[in-house]
Amino acid sequence: MKFSVIVPVYNVADYLPKCLRSLLAQDCDDWELILVDDGSTDGKCPDLCDEYAAAEPELIRVIHQANGGLGAARNTGLEAAAGEYLLFVDSDDTIAPDTLSRLSEEIDKTHADMYIFSFRYVQEDGTQSPAEPRNDARYGVVTSLKEQPALLLDPPLA
């Protein structure tokens, strides 16, 4: 399996369906989705996670755990992941339908260990900011963490 997409979930019932719809729209077949319900107390998120998993049992796994925070939820997903590459998606985020397929193409070309790409802020009314530029010379080139260890400290990396 090429990708494990990990979504930490905590009291985000208003955003989660849109996030999950964007993930389920992917035009790539070689991936799994791991939803980590981090002890949601809203009475909705655990059920939403289970409903989506029941509708797509071959693709989606749900892990329910006591609240441990974002890092703990990501680590739980990481431990359960079967993919060669990880993608962390926050539960209030969406991704384009070709995100995984384009990433897969880039992986096949470069075989890098880590990929950094831009993002856009989308307001609730649908207005978008331009893609965040990556003007730094480290972006858009194949490098290594040995050569560029500071890449691990760049926001907004999980």
Side-chain angles (χ1 to χ4, degrees), residues 11-21 91-94 124:
N11 293 350
V12 289
D14 291 342
Y15 305 102
L16 188 59
K18 187 173 182 180
C19 172
L20 297 179
R21 284 192 304 270
S91 52
D92 62 346
D93 290 344
T94 61
E124 290 200 29

Side-chain angles (χ1 to χ4, degrees), residues 116-133:
I116 301 171
F117 43 90
S118 62
F119 61 93
R120 295 174 193 237
Y121 291 107
V122 180
Q123 304 304 319
E124 290 200 29
D125 66 2
T127 59
Q128 297 182 27
S129 70
E132 290 289 321

Side-chain angles (χ1 to χ4, degrees), residues 37-40 64-69 72-73 76:
D37 170 37
D38 192 40
S40 293
H64 298 282
Q65 66 180 30
N67 182 256
T76 295

Side-chain angles (χ1 to χ4, degrees), residues 5-9 12-26 31 33-35 48-49 52 60 87-97:
V5 178
I6 299 167
V7 179
V9 176
V12 289
D14 291 342
Y15 305 102
L16 188 59
K18 187 173 182 180
C19 172
L20 297 179
R21 284 192 304 270
S22 81
L23 292 167
L24 293 173
Q26 293 304 298
W31 67 290
L33 176 57
I34 302 170
L35 303 175
L48 277 172
C49 290
Y52 275 87
I60 302 174
L87 181 65
F88 292 103
V89 176
D90 289 340
S91 52
D92 62 346
D93 290 344
T94 61
I95 63 174

Side-chain angles (χ1 to χ4, degrees), residues 26-106:
Q26 293 304 298
D27 61 3
C28 175
D29 294 328
D30 196 11
W31 67 290
E32 67 177 346
L33 176 57
I34 302 170
L35 303 175
V36 182
D37 170 37
D38 192 40
S40 293
T41 58
D42 61 5
K44 297 178 183 175
C45 284
D47 291 340
L48 277 172
C49 290
D50 291 340
E51 287 170 21
Y52 275 87
E56 298 281 348
E58 299 297 317
L59 177 66
I60 302 174
R61 284 188 286 154
V62 179
I63 300 169
H64 298 282
Q65 66 180 30
N67 182 256
L70 182 59
R74 286 180 175 155
N75 287 338
T76 295
L78 178 64
E79 290 171 10
E84 182 180 357
Y85 289 87
L86 301 171
L87 181 65
F88 292 103
V89 176
D90 289 340
S91 52
D92 62 346
D93 290 344
T94 61
I95 63 174
D98 63 347
T99 299
L100 294 180
S101 62
R102 289 181 65 192
L103 190 53
S104 182
E105 290 171 11
E106 194 64 27

